[in-house]
């Protein structure tokens, strides 16, 4: 997703002391921290500062959970009804010295972070022994106050109604129409919430959480978008950061527009330079071609077949877009290569596949994106930073992206047309400078498909105190606890012993696994 004793029980800490901490933290001076109205700082009402987190076992049983009330708008914290943010914690397990609180968040934006501490604690027992690991569902997400836009069938229609590579005028008109309809649904169901679902608002929730935990500073681990979130938190509350690890972070130095329009290249690079060579090397198992070129041609033949005649698979309609979505999903981690390669065989010869394999694949392909995730993803990315609102620009831009990098480029018009139609945002522009921060550890792999290395380098330059660990020969999205002992040693040395490289460094990537045992066909 930072020496402190373990945080004190929330029912025992001094309300007066913590209230003072929070007001001081939430209302700092300086242009990057602007949530106070002109003419003076807004007072944070006592109902937020004096609340006590009622910790109870989470549904999973591995964590404790609570509900935290937060202002709808931190710039006017006394106005409007509260929002609810669900929070969780895993108490430190070790008998030795405690390091305090390690806060973590989820990616997306739109993913749930509530259960994440359990996974980290299980996979990193030394960290779990030293830290209370805490997580949360960001405002608009999961178990708290959720944003609601279109229903699942309407979200599915973005990927099932025609081919996203179709550049004909009627197809482009339908894309813009679906985008406008989606935005109308968001405004109808969540119009009073949309202006406040921004990263800037969320980091103030995080600092309220820190204060209610009774600690002065936190360590932070943030993968993917959670790195973006962490960079904003560090910018607005630099004195509250003890240590920070940003793993495969979304580039926070520019705009969402510049970051997302860089993804088609990085997904295509991962597909062509990592996956297709791996697939060709394992042709004796998957029979998709003995060379990368043959494997790519086979992918395109299957895609064309699904374009011409979508496949009905166990109640799921599989389209050309479905194939691209499955491919982009597989690019996130080499551990997914085998499953996707086996899926290609099922889609080519569904009648020869085992019933269990057909059903499992149909379930995986049923929804390209969940409606809840889709809603929050666009609520944040369309509001955090400005977007070009000229439809003609996006028609031209997306045509080139589709031609040059079709795997993810074909979806560019769909995504951009939503943000081009989004209500204009009043979110402040947060410039990440790294001022006042301790050393920050950043992790990035050269072929990361989702958080491209080009963006990681820009983000690294924006944080002068950061040390960048480049994973060479790798492309997984999320490097910590990904089976790389070099990376894990650097992260845990930093979190547990405050050891950090003197400068930028690198770790060799972990080799892609061999072919999985193919069990999808009946034989």
């Amino acid at each position: 997703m930072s020496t402190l004793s373990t945080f004190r029980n929330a029912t025992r800490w001094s309300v007066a002391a913590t209230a003072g901490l929070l007001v001081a933290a939430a209302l700092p001076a300086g242009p990057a921290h602007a949530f106070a109205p002109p003419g003076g700082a807004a007072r944070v009402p006592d109902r937020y500062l004096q609340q006590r987190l009622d910790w109870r076992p989470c549904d999973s049983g591995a964590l404790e959970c609570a509900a935290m009330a937060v202002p709808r708008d931190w710039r006017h914290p006394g106005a409007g009804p509260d929002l609810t943010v669900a929070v969780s914690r895993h108490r430190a397990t070790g008998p030795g010295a405690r390091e305090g609180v390690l806060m973590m968040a989820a990616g997306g934006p739109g993913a749930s972070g509530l259960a994440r501490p359990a996974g980290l604690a299980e996979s990193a027992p030394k960290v779990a022994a030293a830290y209370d690991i805490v997580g949360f569902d960001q405002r608009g997400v999961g178990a708290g106050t959720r944003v609601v836009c279109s229903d699942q069938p309407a979200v599915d229609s973005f990927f099932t109604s025609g081919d996203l590579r179709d550049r004909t005028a009627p197809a482009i008109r339908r894309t813009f129409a679906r985008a406008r309809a989606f935005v109308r649904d968001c405004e109808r169901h969540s119009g009073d919430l949309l202006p406040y679902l921004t990263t800037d608002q969320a980091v103030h929730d995080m600092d309220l959480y820190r204060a209610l935990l009774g600690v002065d500073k936190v360590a932070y681990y943030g993968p993917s978008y959670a790195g973006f979130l962490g960079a904003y938190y560090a910018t607005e509350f630099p004195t509250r950061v003890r240590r920070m690890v940003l793993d495969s972070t979304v580039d926070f130095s520019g705009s969402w527009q510049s970051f997302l329009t860089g993804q088609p290249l990085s997904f295509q690079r991962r597909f062509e330079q990592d996956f297709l060579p791996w697939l060709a090397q394992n042709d004796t198992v998957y029979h998709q071609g003995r060379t990368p070129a043959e494997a790519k041609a086979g992918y395109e033949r299957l895609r064309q077949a699904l374009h011409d005649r979508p496949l009905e698979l166990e109640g799921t309609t599989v389209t050309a877009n479905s194939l691209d979505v499955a491919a982009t999903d597989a690019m996130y981690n080499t551990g997914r290569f085998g499953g996707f390669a086996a899926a290609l065989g099922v889609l080519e010869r569904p009648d020869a596949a085992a019933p269990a394999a057909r059903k499992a694949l149909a379930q995986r392909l049923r929804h390209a994106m969940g409606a809840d995730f889709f809603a929050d993803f666009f609520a944040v990315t369309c509001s955090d930073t400005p977007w070009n609102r000229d439809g003609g620009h996006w028609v031209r831009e997306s045509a080139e992206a589709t031609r040059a990098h079709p795997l993810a480029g074909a979806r560019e018009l769909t995504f951009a047309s939503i943000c081009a139609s989004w209500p204009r945002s009043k979110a402040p522009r947060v410039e990440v400078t790294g001022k006042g921060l301790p050393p920050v550890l950043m992790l990035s792999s050269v072929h990361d498909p989702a958080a491209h290395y080009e963006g990681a380098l820009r983000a690294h330059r924006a944080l002068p105190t950061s040390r960048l660990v480049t994973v060479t020969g790798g492309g997984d999205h999320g490097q910590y606890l990904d089976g790389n002992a070099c990376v894990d040693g650097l992260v845990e040395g930093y979190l547990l012993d405050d050891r950090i490289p003197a400068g930028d460094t690198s770790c060799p990537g972990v080799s892609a696994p061999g072919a999985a045992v193919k069990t999808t066909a009946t034989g």
Side-chain angles (χ1 to χ4, degrees):
M1 328 150 315
S2 91
T3 275
L4 294 173
S5 62
T6 187
F7 61 77
R8 299 182 292 278
N9 186 296
T11 61
R12 297 180 181 176
W13 53 265
S14 164
V15 171
T18 305
L21 282 173
L22 181 65
V23 172
L27 300 172
H33 308 85
F35 74 72
R43 181 180 179 277
V44 180
D46 289 344
R47 68 176 182 271
Y48 304 116
L49 306 178
Q50 296 180 4
Q51 66 182 302
R52 286 166 168 76
L53 300 176
D54 183 15
W55 293 108
R56 303 187 180 192
C58 301
D59 291 341
S60 67
L63 302 172
E64 295 176 296
C65 288
M68 181 176 71
V70 302
R72 177 169 297 249
D73 180 4
W74 278 98
R75 283 167 191 75
H76 305 91
D82 299 344
L83 302 183
T84 299
V85 171
V87 298
S88 64
R89 71 179 177 186
H90 182 282
R91 286 190 175 274
T93 59
R98 302 296 175 87
E99 291 290 333
V101 170
L102 174 63
M103 185 178 290
M104 61 184 304
S112 171
L114 201 63
R116 300 296 175 100
L120 181 60
E122 181 178 0
S123 300
K126 292 181 181 179
V127 174
Y131 282 98
D132 291 307
I133 305 173
V134 304
F136 58 96
D137 277 347
Q138 188 169 324
R139 56 169 55 206
V141 173
T145 305
R146 291 190 302 113
V147 60
V148 177
C149 290
S150 298
D151 60 17
Q152 190 63 56
V155 172
D156 290 344
S157 72
F158 279 90
F159 304 93
T160 58
S161 300
D163 190 334
L164 293 181
R165 291 190 191 179
D166 186 351
R167 307 300 305 174
T168 62
I172 290 171
R173 286 195 295 270
R174 288 192 295 269
T175 296
F176 280 106
R178 279 193 296 271
R180 289 191 294 269
F182 174 77
V183 174
R184 285 196 298 271
D185 283 347
C186 295
E187 292 180 301
R188 180 165 59 252
H189 296 303
S190 301
D192 60 339
L193 182 60
L194 296 182
Y196 313 114
L197 298 181
T198 65
T199 302
D200 169 66
Q201 294 279 351
V203 300
H204 291 87
D205 299 341
M206 291 166 60
D207 203 60
L208 175 60
Y209 187 21
R210 172 206 59 76
L212 295 179
L213 291 172
V215 297
D216 290 337
K217 295 186 178 186
V218 295
Y220 182 82
Y221 171 70
S224 193
Y225 163 68
F228 187 108
L229 186 69
Y232 270 41
Y233 180 78
T235 297
E236 304 206 40
F237 302 99
T239 63
R240 301 306 183 187
V241 176
R242 184 168 177 236
R243 297 171 182 141
M244 178 165 281
V245 179
L246 306 181
D247 186 353
S248 307
T249 183
V250 168
D251 177 17
F252 43 76
S253 68
S255 67
W256 276 108
Q257 176 176 313
S258 64
F259 172 75
L260 290 174
T261 53
Q263 281 191 331
L265 182 151
S266 53
F267 272 102
Q268 198 74 31
R269 176 171 59 202
R270 172 73 155 161
F271 182 68
E272 295 185 355
Q273 297 184 23
D274 291 355
F275 175 70
L276 291 178
W278 177 92
L279 189 59
Q281 290 166 7
N282 291 283
D283 182 58
T284 56
V285 177
Y286 300 112
H287 311 295
Q288 295 295 322
R290 290 173 294 180
T291 67
E294 289 179 359
K296 184 177 181 181
Y299 179 90
E300 290 298 328
R301 282 194 301 272
L302 175 58
R303 193 188 188 285
Q304 185 62 48
L306 293 171
H307 168 92
D308 295 340
R309 187 177 181 181
L311 173 66
E312 293 300 323
L313 185 70
E314 304 292 334
T316 295
T317 301
V318 182
T319 67
N321 298 328
S322 305
L323 183 65
D324 286 346
V325 169
T328 56
D329 180 71
M331 295 308 102
Y332 278 77
N333 190 282
T334 53
R336 303 181 188 180
F337 284 7
F340 179 61
L344 295 174
V346 173
L347 296 176
E348 288 175 335
R349 297 173 295 278
D351 294 340
R358 292 198 302 268
K359 290 179 181 178
L361 182 57
Q363 182 63 34
R364 282 169 50 199
L365 300 181
R366 187 150 294 148
H367 305 301
M369 287 189 180
D372 289 344
F373 181 92
F374 204 70
D376 192 75
F377 178 86
F378 287 105
V380 175
T381 59
C382 296
S383 297
D384 268 355
T385 56
W387 281 77
N388 189 319
R389 305 175 74 86
D390 177 13
H393 166 84
W394 289 115
V395 171
R396 296 185 297 272
E397 168 74 22
S398 62
E400 176 58 21
T402 302
R403 183 198 65 78
H405 310 114
L407 187 66
R411 73 185 186 190
E412 183 172 285
L413 184 61
T414 293
F415 282 28
S417 61
I418 292 174
C419 286
S421 303
W422 201 258
R424 292 187 183 275
S425 173
K426 296 181 180 179
R429 184 71 177 94
V430 178
E431 182 182 358
V432 176
T433 65
K435 184 178 180 180
L437 286 181
V440 173
L441 191 64
M442 297 181 66
L443 316 173
S444 181
S445 61
V446 292
H447 282 182
D448 189 322
H452 37 81
Y453 190 62
E454 294 84 351
L457 292 176
R458 291 193 294 268
H460 173 42
R461 289 193 292 268
L463 284 179
T465 65
S466 64
R467 313 288 195 274
L468 177 63
V469 180
T470 296
V471 178
T472 59
D476 285 0
H477 182 64
Q479 288 297 315
Y480 179 47
L481 301 176
D482 190 44
N484 191 317
C486 174
V487 171
D488 293 353
L490 289 170
V491 172
E492 294 185 5
Y494 172 57
L495 290 177
L496 298 174
D497 300 319
D498 214 21
R499 298 195 314 267
I500 192 164
D504 296 345
T505 188
S506 64
C507 287
V510 177
S511 299
V517 177
K518 194 174 182 184
T519 59
T520 57
T522 60

